[in-house]
Every structure is written in C-alpha cells, then in structure tokens.
Amino acid sequence: MSDNQETLLGQIFLYAYAKKPSNLYSYSEYLPQYIATQLLVWEVIAGQRDAQFNRISNGYTPVKDVLNNFKNAEVCKQVKNFYESYEKNIKTGSKEVSFAYKKDSLAKENALKCGSDGTYTFTDKNGQLNNFDVTVKDGSVVSKSATQLKVKAEANKLITMKQNNVNASGERCGMLVLTNGSNNQTITKLQADPRDYYAAVKGVENGSLWIKKSSPDDNKVEGITFHITGNGIDGDYTTGKDGYIRIPGLKPGTYKVSEKTSSIYTNVRDKTVIVEAGKTAYVLFVS
C-alpha cells in the first residue's frame, strides 16, 4: 500500500463511518453508512482515487455499477447519499489552510508582520478555518471566519490550528479487511488523519514620526519645541537646524502633537497623527 493510499484511507476514516455494525448481514440504521464507507475504501485500494480524491478509471468495476446492482432500492438510495456526502466532505476537508505550515519551524521562518493596529490578520484562500480550533501562545483570537483569522499576540509567538471535526478522543480508526464470507484477514488498522497546522507572528514593528516646522516661504525653522503625547509618550522635542524633529521607535497608534507657544508663533493648533507599524508619519507646521 502506498503512502498516498494510507493518507486517503485516513481521511475516509476521519470523514466517513469508521465503526462496524453489530451485524453485517441484517439491516440497521448504520449499515448504509458502513457500506458507503467501504465503497470509498475499495476505490482507494483499487487505485480509483487520485491524491485529490478525484475518481479515476483504471479498468476495475466502478462504484456506480455496484450501486446499480443493489436489490433494495431504498438501501441503495441511502448508501448513495452517504457515499456522495462522505466524498464531498473528504474533498473539502482535505484542503490545506493556505497560509499555514505542517512544521512549526517553517511557520517561524515565514512569520507574519504586524498590522498597523497591532494585530495580525491571516487569510485562508481555501476557506478551511472553521474546521480548526486555534490556539495563540501568549495571545488571543480577535476574530475567526472560514477565510480569515485575526489574532493579537506577543512577538515571535506560534499559532496552532488543530482540526476540530474529530471525536472526543481526538482520533478515529478503521479496519481494512479482506473476507471471503467466512474468514477475515485484517490487512491493516489505520488511524484517521486529523491535521495540525502552524503559523507564526513577528514582533510588533514600531513606526516613526517626523515633524517639520517651516515658515510660509518654506524656510526651515530651528529651535521650536513641540509636546507629543500618546501610547506611553509624553515629552518635549525641539526642531533641529533643518527644521525637523525625528522620533523613531514609536508604538503604532494615535499621537497628539502640540506646538508650544512663543513670542514669534502664536495661535498654532494641535494636530493628531496616526503612526503605523513599519512606517513613518509626517506632520507639517507652517507659520
């Protein structure tokens, strides 16, 4: 059995019916589910499913012919419904989380930069996020939908996504059995294939603030003091010879810039500026 076949069987046992009815030779409510599952297992073993779980023709009897030979039309209908439902769930659920990685080391190498609001937003092109529970180390989930995950976290932390559509024990398993009606031979016992994915975040990038003071004729004005408040900053800064104040390493957020009055410049209004992560904000005072 190839690695690909084992993976596909694991997905069948995860999304289809992995138990065994008490009596295979009499009807029960679970029998159609069991038969539908075994038909999918047969397709994998017979090489009639590719890596994306698409059906392929290779000369063996196709499942549709098996379904057409059912003597009980109602049971056939039920089996077909379960078969198609399981097939759809396997195809949909087997898609990966597009932004995440199966190894935490790769996630750390491709860590996401912080947004301007101090959060991290991941977009899943495959729409699989509702199938996963998200844990943020030293952080929290701000919001989550099928396609988008927004988190708040400390610098250089790992995000774990664990598949949530498994039973309480976290795993399901099934038996792959050959039978001639009286004797059974177990080929292998396979666990379901619940998946874990990882993503990582970089530290919150600081921004910078540049304040320029100039005259109406665009001359640089040196020695003018400004008071700046916001996000832990509360202090005075003075323009240099080029008329600028340059403040690096500011946390993303809103700041208030106030020019201190002097005998030369009066009636100057305060200004509010937003500093974004990894960017420089500019404020111009002309008088």
Side-chain angles (χ1 to χ4, degrees):
M1 187 184 307
S2 69
D3 291 343
N4 180 59
Q5 285 175 311
E6 287 199 13
T7 298
L8 294 179
L9 289 173
Q11 292 170 357
I12 290 174
F13 294 144
L14 178 63
Y15 290 100
Y17 185 78
K19 299 179 182 179
K20 181 179 179 181
S22 57
N23 188 344
L24 293 177
Y25 301 100
S26 63
Y27 181 80
S28 72
E29 60 178 312
Y30 301 110
L31 187 59
Q33 300 177 53
Y34 177 81
I35 295 173
T37 301
Q38 292 305 307
L39 290 175
L40 292 169
V41 169
W42 158 255
E43 288 182 318
V44 170
I45 297 302
Q48 293 183 326
R49 292 281 178 173
D50 63 16
Q52 287 72 46
F53 212 71
N54 296 311
R55 281 193 295 270
I56 56 178
S57 177
N58 63 355
Y60 286 101
T61 302
V63 164
K64 65 179 181 179
D65 291 350
V66 176
L67 290 172
N68 290 336
N69 290 329
F70 269 72
K71 294 181 179 180
N72 188 313
E74 181 58 31
V75 173
C76 179
K77 180 180 178 181
Q78 293 179 32
V79 170
K80 184 177 180 181
N81 287 340
F82 281 117
Y83 171 87
E84 292 176 348
S85 175
Y86 294 156
E87 178 187 42
K88 179 180 178 181
N89 290 339
I90 291 168
K91 283 187 174 183
T92 302
S94 297
K95 292 180 180 179
E96 297 183 344
V97 179
S98 64
F99 63 79
Y101 299 86
K102 292 183 179 179
K103 293 183 178 180
D104 56 4
S105 58
L106 288 176
K108 292 175 182 177
E109 290 177 10
N110 296 275
L112 184 70
K113 292 182 179 180
C114 182
S116 60
D117 61 351
T119 64
Y120 302 84
T121 301
F122 298 88
T123 300
D124 179 21
K125 297 177 182 178
N126 293 330
Q128 293 297 300
L129 285 172
N130 284 339
N131 294 326
F132 291 83
D133 293 326
V134 178
T135 303
V136 184
K137 185 174 178 59
D138 296 325
S140 60
V141 175
V142 178
S143 62
K144 181 168 80 79
S145 67
T147 58
Q148 191 173 87
L149 171 66
K150 190 173 186 178
V151 303
K152 202 171 186 69
E154 293 184 9
N156 305 314
K157 295 300 180 180
L158 196 66
I159 299 167
T160 302
M161 286 153 281
K162 184 177 290 290
Q163 194 164 3
N164 58 26
N165 50 352
V166 294
N167 64 10
S169 66
E171 63 181 32
R172 294 168 67 181
C173 63
M175 306 295 293
L176 181 59
V177 177
L178 288 180
T179 179
N180 61 7
S182 58
N183 297 313
N184 293 337
Q185 178 185 3
T186 300
I187 299 177
T188 184
K189 180 179 180 180
L190 295 173
Q191 285 190 346
D193 185 31
R195 296 159 296 158
D196 289 351
Y197 284 103
Y198 303 94
V201 297
K202 293 184 178 180
V204 176
E205 289 189 81
N206 291 328
S208 300
L209 173 59
W210 287 21
I211 303 167
K212 181 181 179 181
K213 176 66 177 180
S214 67
S215 63
D217 54 359
D218 201 27
N219 286 325
K220 303 165 186 176
V221 181
E222 179 185 359
I224 301 300
T225 301
F226 289 83
H227 188 75
I228 302 170
T229 57
N231 301 286
I233 298 295
D234 187 355
D236 292 339
Y237 299 82
T238 303
T239 57
K241 292 182 179 180
D242 60 356
Y244 275 96
I245 295 172
R246 296 176 177 85
I247 309 173
L250 294 179
K251 294 180 180 179
T254 302
Y255 292 83
K256 180 181 178 182
V257 181
S258 305
E259 181 178 345
K260 288 197 167 182
T261 58
S262 68
S263 58
I264 302 175
Y265 303 105
T266 59
N267 299 322
V268 180
R269 293 182 179 179
D270 299 339
K271 293 189 178 183
T272 299
V273 60
I274 297 176
V275 175
E276 297 184 17
K279 297 182 180 180
T280 299
Y282 297 89
V283 182
L284 174 63
F285 285 81
V286 179
S287 59

